[in-house]
Amino acid sequence: QVQEHIMRSRVIGIALLVLYVCGFVAANVTHIDLKPMPRARRTWHQLETVYQNRITRLIDANRRPEAAAGSGTVYLTDLEDAQYYGPITIGTPPQSFKVVFDTGSSNLWIPSESCNWDDVACWDHNRYTSGSSSTYKKNGTTFSIQYGSGSVSGFLSVDTVNIGGLSIKNQKFGEATEEASVPFAVAAFDGILGLAFVTISVDHVTPVWYNLLSQGLVTSPLFGVWLSSNPAGQNGGVLSLGGVDTSKFTGSFTYAPLTNQTYWEFALGRVAIGSTSYALNGRAIADTGTSLIAGPQTAVTALNTKLGATQGATGEWTFSSCNVLSSLPNVDITVAGKVFTLTPKGYVLEVEGECLSGFMGIDLPPQLGQLWILGDVFIRNYYTVFDYSKKAVGFAPAVVN
């Protein structure tokens, strides 16, 4: 029986990107991938500056504090509030990669040394060399993840993966031999490490998070995420595996029980401006791999219109001037009976001198109902804990830098 799932939108590159829907079938599961397309007038600029971005990020990495060995703490880099990524290593001796820690997917993949000679996305990034690792084990099963703008495909391998000082033995992952130039050629990260459930893992590969648990590498079956609101800051975010960083939030957590163990999905009470509701008794996903807050097209159009934003030809909602921030209303999102308020400063993003709404519409099949994706715009404002034991997601006010 074919099950319906939502993948997610991912903003890749400095500019905010447009979402659209593309379905694909893998392992008898139908996935609907909400994939971004770069704004055309900026794509070539991004390609021209990709090497400069890599130099900048290396300098940034040297400035950030290092995680203690075996701590399970990963310090993230924040690139223009659009990409959050952090370091992992694979193999013995370790080979270093930058990955997006994505709670909206379940697979780990990185570029392979075996990628095609003309694959710009692969050659511009760090590539895994199996022959240089004494702990490598061959698998060879092919994998493919189809996106609206192209695909990532290759084969599976097995090796030791280290994340936050925690060494996971015999982790199966994807070696990507073909990557779409758009969007991956302009991405500052090398690959993606999924932190969702095994039920949506392509080829039913055991996710990294499951192996962290089964190998006893974390003290508690949960992880916490704090994302910086200051792209120029040295510390762009913190992923805490096996716990939470108490210095990054205030007050106590409000927990929302999961309604589905595929993504980190829970009941959404309301999305509102004042007394006007734009969502009522729907569902939501907490997704670190999505830069914006995404919701049904009709609802988000009405919300952005109320805010005074206008939609551009490529789908983004833009304000006439950044001076309007002082007059914009708050947006309230109700989860588990608690109202989480986003101020204009919290939901408006400044990109290349423009101010854009952090709310984006997506077209979904009617049977999915009111589904919202609470991405980085929300998580920057509210520290998020993903509790595997409680089967719940928790939110607390984030310490904003």
Side-chain angles (χ1 to χ4, degrees):
Q1 180 179 358
V2 177
Q3 300 174 333
E4 295 290 343
H5 294 302
I6 296 300
M7 283 295 283
R8 90 234 41 89
S9 69
R10 226 179 247 117
V11 173
I12 298 183
I14 296 175
L16 294 179
L17 312 174
V18 181
L19 301 144
Y20 67 92
V21 179
C22 177
F24 72 92
V25 178
N28 295 322
V29 178
T30 298
H31 300 261
I32 300 171
D33 183 44
L34 313 179
K35 200 64 201 152
M37 287 289 287
R39 297 172 68 176
R41 70 175 188 268
R42 293 173 180 164
T43 300
W44 290 110
H45 171 70
Q46 292 171 5
L47 284 170
E48 290 169 2
T49 59
V50 68
Y51 289 104
Q52 184 59 46
N53 286 342
R54 290 178 69 79
I55 293 170
T56 300
R57 119 184 144 172
L58 288 172
I59 294 172
D60 245 8
N62 290 331
R63 290 174 178 167
R64 294 198 311 274
E66 294 295 327
S71 69
T73 299
V74 183
Y75 293 100
L76 308 178
T77 295
D78 173 7
L79 180 61
E80 298 294 332
D81 284 348
Q83 298 179 41
Y84 291 89
Y85 53 88
I88 66 169
T89 65
I90 301 178
T92 308
Q95 301 174 42
S96 298
F97 302 93
K98 303 291 185 182
V99 297
V100 171
F101 295 97
D102 180 19
T103 59
S105 68
S106 301
N107 291 80
L108 166 62
W109 65 265
I110 44 86
S112 172
E113 67 163 352
S114 302
C115 62
N116 296 336
W117 67 269
D118 59 348
D119 191 329
V120 176
C122 179
W123 284 92
D124 181 55
H125 292 85
N126 296 315
R127 286 166 287 130
Y128 171 74
T129 304
S130 60
S132 298
S133 175
S134 62
T135 46
Y136 161 76
K137 295 179 183 178
K138 183 178 180 179
N139 180 281
T141 303
T142 59
F143 83 93
S144 179
I145 302 176
Q146 182 70 44
Y147 299 96
S149 54
S151 65
V152 174
S153 61
F155 56 90
L156 300 179
S157 293
V158 178
D159 208 333
T160 298
V161 173
N162 188 290
I163 169 175
L166 307 175
S167 290
I168 307 158
K169 297 180 179 179
N170 299 316
Q171 175 64 51
K172 193 179 294 184
F173 63 96
E175 286 194 51
T177 56
E178 294 185 48
E179 299 177 52
S181 292
V182 177
F184 295 111
V186 297
F189 55 85
D190 302 310
I192 294 173
L193 191 156
L195 290 168
F197 292 84
V198 70
T199 50
I200 60 168
S201 175
V202 173
D203 293 331
H204 304 291
V205 172
T206 302
V208 168
W209 173 244
Y210 282 61
N211 282 331
L212 280 169
L213 294 173
S214 65
Q215 295 180 24
L217 298 175
V218 291
T219 55
S220 299
L222 57 86
F223 57 93
V225 177
W226 175 79
L227 299 180
S228 168
S229 297
N230 180 10
Q234 294 181 4
N235 183 8
V238 181
L239 168 66
S240 301
L241 298 166
V244 297
D245 187 336
T246 56
S247 70
K248 298 302 184 184
F249 65 90
T250 61
S252 58
F253 286 102
T254 296
Y255 285 94
L258 297 184
T259 54
N260 200 339
Q261 292 179 41
T262 49
Y263 307 92
W264 292 88
E265 180 188 306
F266 49 91
L268 176 69
R270 189 170 179 248
V271 177
I273 297 176
S275 60
T276 303
S277 296
Y278 299 90
L280 194 62
N281 299 326
R283 294 172 296 134
I285 295 167
D287 187 1
T288 58
T290 295
S291 295
L292 308 180
I293 294 176
Q297 193 73 250
T298 301
V300 172
T301 296
L303 186 151
N304 277 326
T305 300
K306 177 68 174 178
L307 293 176
T310 56
Q311 190 172 25
T314 49
E316 75 277 21
W317 289 83
T318 309
F319 295 98
S320 59
S321 167
C322 291
N323 294 330
V324 304
L325 265 69
S326 60
S327 61
L328 291 177
N330 293 336
V331 177
D332 294 326
I333 298 176
T334 303
V335 176
K338 183 176 178 60
V339 176
F340 295 88
T341 297
L342 296 177
T343 65
K345 186 177 179 181
Y347 67 74
V348 175
L349 295 89
E350 186 171 353
V351 180
E352 296 182 353
E354 291 182 299
C355 278
L356 296 93
S357 170
F359 297 92
M360 198 65 144
I362 50 178
D363 291 312
L364 298 174
Q367 64 268 30
L368 293 176
Q370 293 189 60
L371 180 67
W372 290 67
I373 302 173
L374 303 186
D376 298 342
V377 167
F378 186 83
I379 296 171
R380 275 195 295 271
N381 289 272
Y382 294 98
Y383 188 102
T384 304
V385 58
F386 299 82
D387 196 316
Y388 187 79
S389 177
K390 289 183 178 180
K391 296 297 187 290
V393 179
F395 305 104
V399 172
V400 179
N401 62 338

